[in-house]
Amino acid sequence: MFVGHYAVGLAAKKFAPRTSLGLLIAAPILLDLLWPIFLLIGWEQVSIQPNPNPFLRLSFDSYPISHGLVAAIGWATLFASIYFGIARYLAGAIAVWVGVVSHWVLDYVVHRPDLPLYASTGRLYTAGNRLFGLSLWNHRWITIAVEVLMLAAGVVIYLWTTKAKDQIGNIAFYAFIFVLVGLYAFVVFGPPPKSVKQLAIGSLCTWLFAVWAWFFDSHRESLPHG
Ligand SMILES: [Zn+2]
């Protein structure tokens, strides 16, 4: 799942209006921000396989540190604790925790059964270590429809919760959504990544979306009804 994770961050603004959208988006995409780091240092493995369905081009051979359920809960607890320690804002800490864990749940809906619960010893999974995934990705257009609807709902909730303090607060927000949708279209309709390294570096660059979200969110303010 891609833009659906961003939708979770946008919607979380209603629950935790005092938390920057940069953090609220970093939380649901955190596992995909850690994943390219673990790919580059060789702790996790992915391979690229030709497939007419672009959602099925990646074979997630092993990624228990970024995408195991137990690890996801650990990352969520770590991230939320650090946030709570600094900000002392419980709603924000809850939004961060739920956001990080939501990544696993949403990936579970779309991925083929490749999501582990926890890291097994060695690289091969034993029979007892089941892998999970409901394979919505097999249905390309349903996946796209679900993700686009989620993003639209996230945008509506965010706009309902905040208003721009100046022109930057509007322009930078709409530009963010435009680029995000454009990138999603590229991932879905564009060529496959040429190498795992290119894939990892491209994924790493999505950190910039969290920074961008922090930027335009600082040019917006929460509405009292939000
Ligand atoms: Zn993921």
Side-chain angles (χ1 to χ4, degrees), residues 137-212:
W137 271 345
N138 285 332
H139 310 281
R140 179 181 179 181
W141 292 104
I142 299 175
T143 304
I144 295 171
V146 166
E147 288 209 72
V148 168
L149 282 174
M150 284 179 73
L151 183 64
V155 165
V156 168
I157 292 169
Y158 181 72
L159 286 177
W160 190 61
T161 312
T162 66
K163 78 174 197 329
K165 287 192 278 193
D166 51 35
Q167 274 307 309
I168 295 171
N170 263 330
I171 295 166
F173 167 69
Y174 287 107
F176 173 89
I177 299 299
F178 184 78
V179 171
L180 188 63
V181 171
L183 188 63
Y184 186 52
F186 180 78
V187 168
V188 175
F189 301 109
K194 286 191 183 68
S195 65
V196 169
K197 195 170 179 191
Q198 190 202 56
L199 169 70
I201 289 168
S203 303
L204 260 186
C205 291
T206 54
W207 273 106
L208 294 173
F209 279 111
V211 178
W212 191 347

Side-chain angles (χ1 to χ4, degrees), residues 100-124:
V100 177
V101 174
S102 80
H103 186 105
W104 195 94
V105 176
L106 291 175
D107 273 6
Y108 166 67
V109 174
V110 297
H111 279 233
R112 292 177 286 188
D114 57 33
L115 288 156
L117 291 186
Y118 52 86
S120 62
T121 48
R123 284 189 182 170
L124 291 173

Side-chain angles (χ1 to χ4, degrees), residues 5 31-32 67 103 107 111:
H5 295 307
L31 304 187
D32 283 354
H67 279 71
H103 186 105
D107 273 6
H111 279 233

